[in-house]
Amino acid sequence: MQFQKTPGWLDWYQGPSKPGFTLPAGAVDAHCHVFGPGEEFPYAPERKYTPCDASKHQLFALRDQLGFERNVIVQATCHGADNRALLDALRYSDGKARGVATVRRDISDEQLQAMHADGVRGVRFNFVKRLVDFTPKDELMEIAGRIARLGWHVVIYFEAVDLPELWDFFSGLPTTVVVDHMGRPDVSKPVDGPEFALFLKFMRDNPNVWSKVSCPERLSLSGPRALDGERAAYRDVVPFARRVVEEFPDRVLWGTDWPHPNLKDHMPDDGLLVDFIPHIAPTPALQQKLLVDNPLRLYWPEQVKD
Ligand code: 0GY
């Protein structure tokens, strides 16, 4: 099937620069996607955008180029609850990728078991209105109860302004809960202001909640331009991500978000994104937790030695 990209869609950055920051051995890119290719894995009829194709081969080439060893591939909304492209990439990865799927309540236990065998370890609940239609909370809670029995976790994606309304639902989830992109703070507001304080309180009050400190390119207003050094981009996001890393070093993850859906202004150089990491995790000990120990504990626990 032929698909036309959403008008204005930015293709991912070809030939990323070599990062100045050397990733620790065993580093995991814990948030990235595959898109199609549409001819092989058609985009879902209910999707809100049609992306450019971004295949497993291209994702794994980026992994090797940047110096990551593993990926966590997150089901993107353009594939709805059709997880075939994700599962295909997981199978092809030879154990180097684990996945986060999207499922509906009609999924059978046998299907969940088969996904587990392929490497899925979580489901994603999306509350960003421009990306998905509404799913009733009782359906999501039912799914959470079922996947908890497999030892999976729930990834949640929402905007900062919606946290108060979603707080009780999130707090009632029976699994580890991973927040995408720090709950999308408005970084034009102060890091010490009430909005981000609420997010930090959410993490403090709920010890089962983790956060991805990812997507500076999505949250930044200052953008990729260097303010105080050639490779120091997205500096306005640093205080937010660093605050989360320093307060919750055992509950943070980082990912590229390749191939960066729905960016309107610029497409990031993924090498430059890697160079963002030492600004938010300034010591080798924090980098080891963020990039290796935490993702292994969540996605490859059988490989963690006591
Ligand atoms: C991200 C962010 C976005 C999109 C999706 O599944 C998706 O479509 O996650 C976004 O548009 O903010 O994490 O990829």
Side-chain angles (χ1 to χ4, degrees):
M1 205 183 300
Q2 290 282 348
F3 289 95
Q4 287 292 327
K5 290 184 292 181
T6 297
W9 187 271
L10 299 178
D11 290 350
W12 42 276
Y13 194 93
Q14 302 277 339
S17 60
K18 186 174 160 41
F21 172 62
T22 304
L23 293 163
V28 181
D29 175 353
H31 185 93
C32 51
H33 310 287
V34 285
F35 294 155
E39 288 214 356
E40 200 181 346
F41 302 110
Y43 299 112
E46 72 272 24
R47 69 191 181 280
K48 305 291 183 202
Y49 63 84
T50 305
C52 61
D53 289 336
S55 72
K56 58 181 182 284
H57 301 292
Q58 290 159 329
L59 174 63
F60 297 146
L62 180 78
R63 173 198 67 199
D64 296 343
Q65 213 169 342
L66 296 177
F68 288 99
E69 278 186 22
R70 307 176 198 221
N71 298 96
V72 178
I73 308 176
V74 177
Q75 173 76 352
T77 58
C78 55
H79 279 296
D82 176 350
N83 295 285
R84 281 176 296 172
L86 168 68
L87 297 172
D88 172 68
L90 296 183
R91 286 192 288 265
Y92 185 81
S93 77
D94 200 19
K96 287 185 178 173
R98 292 261 145 103
V100 174
T102 296
V103 302
R104 309 268 182 251
R105 76 173 2 140
D106 62 2
I107 191 154
S108 68
D109 287 338
E110 291 70 30
Q111 286 169 311
L112 288 175
Q113 289 288 357
M115 288 171 122
H116 188 88
D118 282 336
V120 173
R121 294 293 181 268
V123 292
R124 192 181 196 204
F125 295 166
N126 201 319
F127 300 88
V128 178
K129 297 175 188 82
R130 71 186 156 77
L131 292 173
V132 286
D133 295 326
F134 174 77
T135 306
K137 295 209 180 67
D138 68 319
E139 171 168 354
L140 297 177
M141 202 48 97
E142 182 185 310
I143 291 168
R146 289 178 63 199
I147 60 101
R149 296 200 282 274
L150 292 164
W152 294 9
H153 60 273
V154 174
V155 173
I156 52 177
Y157 191 24
F158 61 93
E159 313 259 1
V161 289
D162 296 324
L163 179 56
E165 191 250 311
L166 292 164
W167 182 290
D168 289 345
F169 173 72
F170 290 161
S171 301
L173 288 168
T175 60
T176 294
V177 173
V178 181
V179 178
D180 277 341
H181 322 325
M182 300 179 283
R184 293 193 60 113
D186 177 347
V187 300
S188 69
K189 295 181 180 166
V191 68
D192 292 316
E195 190 179 271
F196 201 59
L198 191 72
F199 178 69
L200 296 173
K201 177 171 162 42
F202 177 57
M203 287 198 69
R204 255 175 239 138
D205 287 5
N206 295 279
N208 61 323
V209 172
W210 295 36
S211 178
K212 292 178 199 164
V213 286
S214 44
C215 269
E217 76 286 5
R218 211 172 268 297
L219 303 174
S220 178
L221 301 173
S222 63
R225 93 199 123 85
L227 295 184
D228 58 2
E230 214 176 290
R231 293 184 65 81
Y234 312 118
R235 294 307 300 268
D236 51 348
V237 186
V238 168
F240 293 82
R242 187 163 167 162
R243 179 70 63 87
V244 179
V245 171
E246 290 186 333
E247 184 167 346
F248 309 102
D250 297 311
R251 294 195 262 146
V252 283
L253 300 169
W254 192 86
T256 56
D257 195 30
W258 186 90
H260 311 287
N262 299 307
L263 290 185
K264 301 278 183 289
D265 303 325
H266 79 289
M267 186 47 62
D269 166 357
D270 296 280
L272 202 56
L273 282 178
V274 169
D275 280 347
F276 180 76
I277 296 171
H279 296 281
I280 63 169
T283 67
L286 288 172
Q287 293 158 9
Q288 175 72 18
K289 284 175 186 253
L290 175 66
L291 297 163
V292 185
D293 298 349
N294 297 344
L296 278 192
R297 215 153 23 92
L298 198 55
Y299 290 96
W300 286 270
E302 69 284 358
Q303 294 182 24
V304 176
K305 298 182 198 77
D306 293 330

